[in-house]
Amino acid sequence: IEVMSILDSLFAIQPFIHVDKVHIFDGTFNKTGDQVKFFKYTRNVAVHFMNNDDYRTVAEHPVHRKASLNYLLALRFLLNAYPTADAYLILEDDVLFDPDAPWILWRALTYAMKQTDFFVIDGYVRGPMRQGNVDEGEDVLLSFHERCCSQAFLLSPKAARTGLPAIEQSLNGSIPYLPLDLLLSSSLLQHDTFHWYAAKHCWVQHIGKPYLGLGP
């Protein structure tokens, strides 16, 4: 259901966001993902199964560490496959999109790119429930300098390249391990030219947490 929400929202006829593919990074051993394996037959979806050697490095750790490894693998792939993209939209697997997500994303990305090429936008903010359509004249983004949430990131290639070493070091033990949201917050905000934003109107809803007013 969640992946279909992504496809319906981002591949529908809309003039705002060009999406090449949805890349799904499955984090199971021996490529046994019960759900994602079916999407390899969908032309708009590319499934990437985890190498077993990679899986073994996090097999005995909590789910947050497995998620950090998946983010690492995803960012490595995206930087190699789409080095000149405006931004990468990184999602966890339990999100539903706001019906106006492409428009909200376009406004947020357009605003951020006018300011800098070094940014992360947090698209899942525990704010008030959505009430009707978003006013076109309202502010797009809020400055954000605290911990984020890894449900939905929109990040520039420069932010992805800069964040990769911290994720690698956190996973290999070179620095103390932190969950991905805290790790990115603490590492990227050390750079004076980096901008972290929170979307005033978030474009995803976390399953079971109806912050967008889309129902439970």
Side-chain angles (χ1 to χ4, degrees):
I1 294 174
E2 293 85 359
V3 173
M4 295 313 298
S5 170
I6 295 170
L7 293 176
D8 290 346
S9 298
L10 295 185
F11 285 102
I13 298 174
Q14 48 88 14
F16 303 106
I17 300 293
H18 170 72
V19 183
D20 178 58
K21 284 184 182 295
V22 172
H23 292 272
I24 298 178
F25 290 81
D26 174 49
T28 56
F29 189 72
N30 277 343
K31 306 178 182 180
T32 54
D34 290 334
Q35 296 177 6
V36 299
K37 61 185 178 183
F38 297 110
F39 290 107
K40 66 183 178 181
Y41 304 112
T42 304
R43 63 183 177 87
N44 289 329
V45 176
V47 178
H48 305 263
F49 291 103
M50 185 175 288
N51 179 285
N52 281 351
D53 289 337
D54 287 334
Y55 182 89
R56 290 188 181 95
T57 66
V58 295
E60 304 303 321
H61 293 278
V63 66
H64 285 294
R65 201 176 187 107
K66 295 181 176 71
S68 293
L69 176 57
N70 242 356
Y71 268 87
L72 175 66
L73 298 175
L75 290 179
R76 282 177 178 168
F77 170 81
L78 291 171
L79 284 166
N80 181 64
Y82 305 99
T84 61
D86 292 330
Y88 308 122
L89 176 62
I90 313 291
L91 307 163
E92 293 192 4
D93 62 353
D94 54 356
V95 296
L96 292 175
F97 271 89
D98 184 284
D100 292 325
W103 181 66
I104 297 171
L105 279 164
W106 174 77
R107 293 182 69 220
L109 181 59
T110 300
Y111 178 88
M113 290 180 63
K114 288 180 179 178
Q115 316 301 316
T116 181
D117 65 350
F118 192 15
F119 64 84
V120 167
I121 306 172
D122 184 0
Y124 171 67
V125 183
R126 297 187 181 95
M129 292 175 65
R130 173 185 168 91
Q131 301 293 332
N133 293 327
V134 179
D135 183 355
E136 188 168 355
E138 291 188 48
D139 293 337
V140 179
L141 299 172
L142 305 171
S143 294
F144 195 62
H145 296 287
E146 299 178 23
R147 72 169 291 174
C148 56
C149 184
S150 57
Q151 294 297 329
F153 287 151
L154 187 66
L155 69 166
S156 67
K158 184 174 181 178
R161 285 192 298 271
T162 306
L164 269 182
I167 302 175
E168 291 171 341
Q169 292 164 13
S170 181
L171 286 170
N172 67 26
S174 299
I175 61 176
Y177 174 77
L178 287 174
L180 184 79
D181 51 357
L182 292 173
L183 178 67
L184 283 180
S185 301
S186 59
S187 61
L188 291 177
L189 286 170
Q190 295 180 28
H191 298 267
D192 292 338
T193 58
F194 173 73
H195 290 240
W196 196 297
Y197 298 108
K200 186 169 183 180
H201 297 280
C202 50
W203 53 77
V204 297
Q205 170 176 303
H206 189 182
I207 291 295
K209 300 181 184 294
Y211 295 116
L212 294 181
L214 302 179

